[in-house]
Amino acid sequence: MRAELAPSTAYDDLPYTRGGDVDRADVGALVQSAVDGDAAAWKALVEGLSPLVWSVVRAHRLSDADAHEVYQTVWFRFAQHLGRIREPQKAGSWLASTARHECLKVLKSLRRLTPTDDPQLLDRVSEDRTPEQSLLDSEEAAVESERVRHLWQEFEELGDRCRQLLRILMASPPPSYQEVSAALGIAVGSIGPLRQRCLRRLRARLEARGAV
Amino acid sequence: MDEMDDDETFDEAAYDGQDADADLLEEELRRAAGILDPVPAQLRQIAVEAYALHDLDAKIAELTFDSVVDAIPVRGATDVPRMLTFRAGEVTVDVEVTGEGLMGQVLPPQQASVEVLSGPQTGAPLTTDDMGRFTYGGSPAGPFALRLRTGREAIVTDWLTV
């Protein structure tokens, strides 16, 4: 786990060109505040890094029930290890790496122990409407909605590597390449070129479909 | 393994210098994910509440053996119990999880109270026998950890998904 994070140190000195909304430099400070008992700092960490954890889980194509469980396990472990994490500023990578390993384990345990589908939990999910979803319900947004669905369909039909990489990259706020590296177990240096390829490929699919 | 080259049907050169387009497309994907596959609100809430698990006083017992990762699968066996070993200093906890429940043993043998956790809430309380053994009849599916209190210390195992 740690060994995979090590080779990317050469990039540590470069300023991140990604990671807009939540300044990743603040992550270390938020972790420290949370360790000191600041619940608001913890909440800010959850807000800023939840989409990354969710992206990692989704990128591994777990069932919904497994995805929910792994997501929770990752945050429980993070809370437990808070204050013991050696590089708090890299909490995003820690979470991504933990999520990846837990996903791989769940995929490896061929047969889960019990029926894991909690219908109640999944029902609640379907009732959740984000503001964006509600907006899409309006008639004016029908065309836009169609466009988004086409984009998503073409994304889902990409090869595994591209689909995985793009699912991580599209987390909001955008993850750093360090975090992407931790999420997928690939070298930081390979992410940029792979990203370009995958996005070109997706664009080509969209153009072929005439849904530009 | 490299499916990247499977459908190389477009002209790479024609797409040179399209960095801005890549950024734009990634941004569109980000928006689509926010609409079609956002973090479920109740999961976000559970993560917020997980702050209660922050406990600097308890020792963490690290997972040192997990049959899912470390054991050779038995051919044809379908209902194999999951074997886990956690360790914190001198104390070892062996756990065997099946669909029916779990059995465990604290070593060296000692009396301890054990809680089976599935989240920030208090778990089912158990007590070990003189040999350090304990059993739990409930099904521990989902996020799982044990909190132990021995005579001397509080120990929490690493969280994992069972």
Side-chain angles (χ1 to χ4, degrees):
Chain A
M1 188 186 263
R2 284 164 190 75
E4 286 165 18
L5 291 176
S8 46
T9 43
Y11 291 81
D12 283 352
D13 299 325
L14 299 175
Y16 291 136
T17 53
R18 306 170 50 85
D21 298 328
V22 164
D23 188 349
R24 292 296 202 231
D26 287 346
V27 167
L30 286 173
V31 169
Q32 192 50 54
S33 299
V35 170
D36 295 340
D38 181 354
W42 173 261
K43 200 172 175 194
L45 285 168
V46 172
E47 294 300 325
L49 294 169
S50 259
L52 173 62
V53 174
W54 185 243
S55 285
V56 178
V57 171
R58 290 312 233 184
H60 286 86
R61 287 232 158 133
L62 304 184
S63 73
D64 274 358
D66 287 346
H68 282 233
E69 291 177 1
V70 167
Y71 172 96
Q72 293 177 56
T73 297
V74 170
W75 281 100
F76 294 168
R77 198 182 294 177
F78 184 55
Q80 174 183 44
H81 283 259
L82 197 67
R84 299 174 171 98
I85 291 171
R86 263 176 290 167
E87 298 179 283
Q89 74 280 10
K90 290 188 185 165
S93 297
W94 191 98
L95 284 162
S97 174
T98 301
R100 169 172 178 259
H101 281 88
E102 204 57 27
C103 285
L104 294 178
K105 254 199 204 187
V106 164
L107 291 171
K108 208 174 167 193
S109 59
L110 297 170
R111 187 176 165 281
R112 303 294 308 285
L113 285 169
T114 39
T116 41
D117 288 86
D118 175 352
Q120 251 192 328
L121 190 66
L122 297 177
D123 280 352
R124 282 202 298 275
V125 182
S126 54
E127 282 163 19
D128 279 333
R129 305 291 289 169
T130 64
E132 290 90 341
Q133 283 172 320
S134 303
L135 183 74
L136 283 185
D137 289 341
S138 74
E139 231 177 283
E140 305 85 52
V143 178
E144 174 62 8
S145 162
E146 189 74 355
R147 227 173 67 89
V148 168
R149 253 187 285 278
H150 284 167
L151 174 63
W152 200 255
Q153 270 171 17
E154 294 301 337
F155 152 70
E156 291 258 320
E157 281 167 27
L158 289 169
D160 278 350
R161 277 175 75 186
C162 278
R163 197 186 44 71
Q164 276 204 320
L165 176 69
L166 293 182
R167 189 62 190 86
I168 305 290
L169 286 169
M170 72 176 79
S172 178
S176 71
Y177 280 5
Q178 287 285 344
E179 290 162 348
V180 177
S181 164
L184 294 175
I186 59 178
V188 169
S190 68
I191 295 169
L194 193 57
R195 169 183 176 273
Q196 292 288 352
R197 273 175 88 94
C198 292
L199 288 170
R200 277 203 306 265
R201 181 147 308 160
L202 179 60
R203 178 62 83 196
R205 289 188 75 105
L206 288 168
E207 281 172 3
R209 184 182 183 135
V212 190
Chain B
M1 192 62 199
D2 187 13
E3 84 280 356
M4 301 293 310
D5 297 318
D6 291 351
D7 54 338
E8 203 72 55
T9 52
F10 55 90
D11 179 4
E12 299 248 2
Y15 285 82
D16 275 356
Q18 301 274 319
D19 289 8
D21 183 62
D23 291 349
L24 188 73
L25 190 51
E26 188 189 298
E27 204 47 54
E28 280 185 52
L29 281 170
R30 190 164 357 269
R31 220 166 63 80
I35 295 164
L36 297 173
D37 192 17
V39 184
Q42 87 278 17
L43 280 190
R44 205 181 281 261
Q45 187 54 33
I46 289 169
V48 170
E49 286 160 12
Y51 188 49
L53 291 168
H54 166 46
D55 174 10
L56 280 177
D57 298 331
K59 251 184 165 171
I60 295 178
E62 287 181 32
L63 183 64
T64 57
F65 176 87
D66 183 344
S67 55
V68 165
V69 177
D70 303 312
I72 298 159
V74 180
R75 188 188 293 258
T78 51
D79 197 9
V80 190
R82 182 153 176 193
M83 318 284 280
L84 305 163
T85 300
F86 301 95
R87 182 169 212 156
E90 298 299 303
V91 178
T92 298
V93 189
D94 287 323
V95 183
E96 192 176 314
V97 189
T98 67
E100 283 76 54
L102 66 88
M103 295 189 306
Q105 186 167 24
V106 182
L107 294 166
Q110 58 192 294
Q111 280 233 319
S113 75
V114 179
E115 265 179 82
V116 180
L117 303 177
S118 61
Q121 312 77 17
T122 311
L126 308 165
T127 309
T128 62
D129 64 15
D130 291 343
M131 297 294 291
R133 292 172 302 198
F134 58 94
T135 57
Y136 173 64
S139 175
F144 165 83
L146 296 174
R147 185 185 289 142
L148 291 89
R149 280 176 220 288
T150 66
R152 253 169 292 164
E153 55 192 356
I155 297 172
V156 189
T157 68
D158 259 333
W159 282 89
L160 63 134
T161 313
V162 297

